[in-house]
Amino acid sequence: MRKLRRTMSFIAVFVVTFILSSCSIPFVPEVPPGSYSVEAAINVIANKYMLMDTGWINGFGDMELGEGRYATFDGVDGFLMVFRYDDFEQAKDAWNKITKKYGNPFKLKYLKINMGTYGVFTIRLENTDLYCWYKENWLFIVTGDKIERFVMDINNIYKTIKK
């Protein structure tokens, strides 16, 4: 009986570990160096994707998020929005605004991970995807259809810059 309990405990621990390890973050966000401006953060992406349009924005949808910049790129069906704040808490607060407004665990492709030093949020909204992440004093929002590859490319570009 005692051996059976140990075996069952081992199996339970294995199953829980397997389940938790399969629920992973789609990516650990990378951001530009602190010395970068929002313009530089967008321009470095233009080394891989041709920049079509860019301009100043002050929010997303009907939410005021502060001064930022949007960009569209050739071959990407969506928008990139970049916000740089004075401190980490402002970036996190802006991210929280977005996740509170759009967060619904019953939607398709929903994921919200807040690790304290960074956060990642993804959701499918009607006919578009929303990816949003913060880290340090940066907030990034990408909306569009079939933008997963673009989001991963942005992350890899910033990862390469930090090395």
Side-chain angles (χ1 to χ4, degrees):
M1 189 67 155
R2 184 178 252 184
K3 191 171 185 172
L4 180 62
R5 282 188 203 166
R6 281 188 186 170
T7 304
M8 294 302 285
S9 296
F10 175 77
I11 291 171
V13 168
F14 177 78
V15 168
V16 168
T17 303
F18 179 75
I19 289 171
L20 290 177
S21 67
S22 66
C23 299
S24 63
I25 300 171
F27 62 97
V28 175
E30 296 292 338
V31 295
S35 62
Y36 272 45
S37 65
V38 291
E39 295 93 345
I42 289 172
N43 287 337
V44 74
I45 297 167
N47 289 327
K48 180 165 179 120
Y49 292 91
M50 186 167 62
L51 183 62
M52 300 298 289
D53 187 28
T54 186
W56 293 101
I57 54 174
N58 63 1
F60 175 63
D62 60 353
M63 291 176 284
E64 291 285 328
L65 299 175
E67 192 171 276
R69 201 145 177 96
Y70 77 88
T72 59
F73 295 91
D74 188 35
V76 177
D77 184 19
F79 290 91
L80 166 67
M81 290 160 263
V82 180
F83 298 87
R84 185 172 183 265
Y85 299 98
D86 294 331
D87 65 35
F88 165 80
E89 287 300 321
Q90 289 176 302
K92 186 175 180 180
D93 290 344
W95 182 80
N96 280 326
K97 276 185 188 178
I98 294 167
T99 61
K100 283 181 181 151
K101 177 163 182 144
Y102 294 105
N104 181 347
F106 300 110
K107 292 273 191 176
L108 291 176
K109 207 177 190 180
Y110 175 84
L111 174 72
K112 179 182 176 186
I113 304 285
N114 187 351
M115 299 301 287
T117 57
Y118 66 85
V120 177
F121 175 67
T122 65
I123 193 165
R124 179 79 179 168
L125 300 168
E126 296 177 21
N127 296 326
T128 188
D129 290 326
L130 170 65
Y131 281 76
C132 180
W133 66 95
Y134 80 93
K135 186 174 182 181
E136 297 171 11
N137 60 333
W138 293 94
L139 174 70
F140 287 84
I141 304 168
V142 181
T143 63
D145 194 29
K146 299 178 184 166
I147 55 172
E148 294 84 9
R149 178 74 183 154
F150 180 59
V151 169
M152 292 305 133
D153 284 345
I154 291 170
N155 203 51
N156 289 333
I157 288 167
Y158 293 144
K159 183 187 256 183
T160 302
I161 291 171
K162 287 229 170 172
K163 288 184 178 182

